[in-house]
Amino acid sequence: MWLKDSSIGRKFVMSLSGLALVLFLLFHGCMNLAVVFSEDAYNFICHILGANWYAVVGTLGLAFLVLVHFCYAIYLTIQNRAARGNDRYAVTGKKEGVEWESENMLVLGFCVLGFLVLHLYNFWFKMQFAELTGIETGAFDPQDGAAYVKALFTAPVCGQIYCALYLIWLAALWLHLRHGVWSALHTLGWNNLVWMKRIKVIGVIIASLAVAPFAIVVLYYLGMGISMLC
């Protein structure tokens, strides 16, 4: 089957799965941003997307997409290294016109994946999982997610550390998305001279739109936490 047996097919799967995950990030970011403006609105959204069959199906679908995207990324990287052979050791300097993130997408991917585990523990495990199973996973009410987010990010010292970690994660995610969106659109056919520079700009815009809502939430509570310490 060409989707797994050919390099083009594997890149096609990588592109589609990556763009699908970007769409989820755009939605998820907008949902999270609600907590800055209205805690009741955020709790209402969490209730709608909490312990429901469609939320569970969506979670499983996202897990599948992440797994596919990550496995294909590993496979393509190994394949590319094998194809280059000893030539990869002959490169001693940075290639002209090649951006840093394009040569370190796998490293950025591992960084994003590592922090994703922390994010899932902090929020999915302590919120949706707790609501689905009825098992207590933290000292808070799963129905009041806004209070939990505030407590996590404004706790003395620990809250500021969490904010810093999340901002590092978001920076890595932005770099990964900026090149990833461009690469996906390039793979899907927007690779002519007219669109080459345009899709790079599109990549920057989409990466910024996906990361900005999360960053706003973190910075909002970081400022709140610092003011509570003063």
Side-chain angles (χ1 to χ4, degrees), residues 22 26 174 177-179 181-182 185 197-213:
V22 170
L26 290 168
W174 186 86
L177 291 179
R178 184 179 74 159
H179 179 74
V181 171
W182 173 84
L185 295 178
K197 291 184 178 180
R198 293 179 182 177
I199 60 175
K200 283 192 174 184
V201 175
I202 291 173
V204 171
I205 293 173
I206 293 178
S208 300
L209 289 175
V211 169

Side-chain angles (χ1 to χ4, degrees), residues 3 5 7 19 32 44 56 64 111 113 120 139 147 165 174 178 194 200 204 209 213:
L3 287 177
D5 295 333
S7 177
L19 291 176
N32 283 1
F44 176 71
V56 175
F64 175 75
C111 183
L113 189 65
L120 289 173
L165 289 174
W174 186 86
R178 184 179 74 159
V194 175
K200 283 192 174 184
V204 171
L209 289 175

